[in-house]
Amino acid sequence: MATRLVYHLYCVTAKIRQWPLVLRERRPVFISDESHRPAQGDAYAIVVKYAKFGLTPDFLDLLQSLEAGAVNAIVVCNGRLDADSRALLLRSAHRVLVRRNVGRDMGAYRAATLYLGKQGLKPGRMLYLNDSLFFLKGKELDDMVSALCQRRFDVTGTFENHEKSHHVGSYALAVSGAVFSDPDVVRFWQRYRPYDLRPHAILRGEVGWSACIKQRGYSIDVIYGAEKLVHQLNALDLRGLIAVTQVMRPAFRLQPLDGLMAQSMAALRLVEPLSVSSQARAAVVAASAEPAAPVVTASGTPTLASYRARRAQLAQQAQTPPPSPPAPADDQAFKVAEALARRALVDRIMMEVTQGSQIHLGFGLFRTLMRCPIVKKDLIARDIYFEHDCEMILQDVESEMRSKIVREMVNRGRPLFVQGRRRFLLDHGLV
């Protein structure tokens, strides 16, 4: 109870402190609005960039992929960029909007959506992306942009989340022109208050926006959905499934696999006696009638005589022909047991991935099996993966880029020995 009171007191205090800025943002305010490149087509993207961290190579790679996909990139900078970065952005994007950093990424989405809508922009497709991700240059990134631009669904997300309430991840998604201009959706953005609080941005922002979309009856698809991942898992044999667990987070890898296989082993013990063929049963009876060969075991101090006896026993065993392959009925029993083991492992993997943020918990699987080109920057900071895990999973990325990505994640720190106020904020998702 005391912890809950402190949590709510912290949130209320933060909102009171931020209220003047939020009130000023009732009508979105932009410091500058520049455009040196005319729009081509009706596909647009609102791309949020936090100016403090500067322009990174992967962010410029994203702008190149958007350009290649005929998407007009509108970069929304939370904070002022230096002159060189600003000039580079103007060459790489259709339009650059600069604003104060109010309300995180959701605040920037809100401001740009209302501002552009008021100016009369009527996009055929609007993408929303932010720089909480690394964007991996290549065909996969181009394919992801192309999938977001497809107009079969009203809303296309990259990932979804079932924690708190089902919602589409706001870091990379796309909506149709009808959704962008829908009065109820516009009203949601008008009513949303852009507080700089992570729980508020998730619950009132991501979850609230998804709820609004569902209430309006719009169709939703997710590019890297769990139902698509399971097809990749089902295509693997048992050895492949066991091997792929190495790309899952350490908390999963530390679990013993034999527990996952218990039901298949129990099933094998039940099925095997019923499936032994008559020939195999006769062989078992004949073998039981033969006297068992004495087993030489070490007892006391080893002697040359016991060593010679042991060598003779091993030589005799080497000359014994190998057992005949199991009868077809036995093969079927093992196939049933293996199928049960595969099913048990797939079930456990999917339970792991779908219990929370899928882009976090399933990072290794989605990258390895589905070639997902986006990586959350806080995988290490939230103690989900280690740096050596990220190195291994991103092994196919060019070495210099991989080093930069992993180093940036490591520099955010890992909350191993954090105490006091910082520990409280981390435990409650406030940072």
Side-chain angles (χ1 to χ4, degrees), residues 113-238:
T113 300
L114 295 177
Y115 179 71
L116 296 171
K118 189 175 181 180
Q119 290 184 343
L121 181 66
K122 301 291 184 181
R125 196 74 173 171
M126 177 61 81
L127 281 62
Y128 292 87
L129 304 122
N130 65 48
D131 65 346
S132 67
L133 306 169
F134 292 111
F135 299 94
L136 306 180
K137 181 180 181 179
K139 180 180 181 299
E140 292 86 3
L141 183 58
D142 295 338
D143 291 343
M144 187 192 81
V145 170
S146 177
L148 289 173
C149 291
Q150 290 294 322
R151 307 186 183 190
R152 181 181 173 188
F153 294 88
D154 299 311
V155 176
T156 302
T158 47
F159 285 93
E160 58 195 336
N161 192 332
H162 291 277
E163 192 175 4
K164 308 294 185 184
S165 178
H166 174 261
H167 58 281
V168 178
S170 63
Y171 33 80
L173 60 86
V175 302
S176 66
V179 173
F180 181 83
S181 303
D182 187 298
D184 286 344
V185 177
V186 173
R187 193 174 300 114
F188 163 82
W189 287 120
Q190 290 171 340
R191 293 176 176 177
Y192 176 72
R193 296 177 177 175
Y195 290 111
D196 188 9
L197 274 171
R198 185 170 177 270
H200 177 84
I202 293 174
L203 292 176
R204 302 296 182 186
E206 285 188 350
V207 176
W209 183 85
S210 293
C212 177
I213 293 299
K214 292 179 181 181
Q215 289 172 1
R216 295 292 297 139
Y218 289 115
S219 59
I220 301 174
D221 187 33
V222 176
I223 299 173
Y224 305 103
E227 79 282 5
K228 298 169 185 175
L229 174 64
V230 78
H231 290 309
Q232 302 294 327
L233 293 173
N234 286 333
L236 300 174
D237 59 17
L238 185 55

Side-chain angles (χ1 to χ4, degrees), residues 37-58:
R37 178 186 297 178
Q40 297 181 352
D42 64 350
Y44 290 81
I46 294 174
V47 189
V48 179
K49 182 74 188 84
Y50 184 34
K52 182 179 178 180
F53 295 148
L55 295 181
T56 54
D58 72 291

Side-chain angles (χ1 to χ4, degrees), residues 317-352:
Q317 291 176 357
Q319 295 174 0
T320 303
S324 58
D330 300 319
D331 280 345
Q332 186 62 31
F334 280 101
K335 288 179 180 178
V336 170
E338 182 179 2
L340 285 172
R342 289 180 64 254
R343 184 72 266 164
L345 189 50
V346 169
D347 289 344
R348 185 62 188 86
I349 290 174
M350 294 306 298
M351 287 175 61
E352 164 74 8

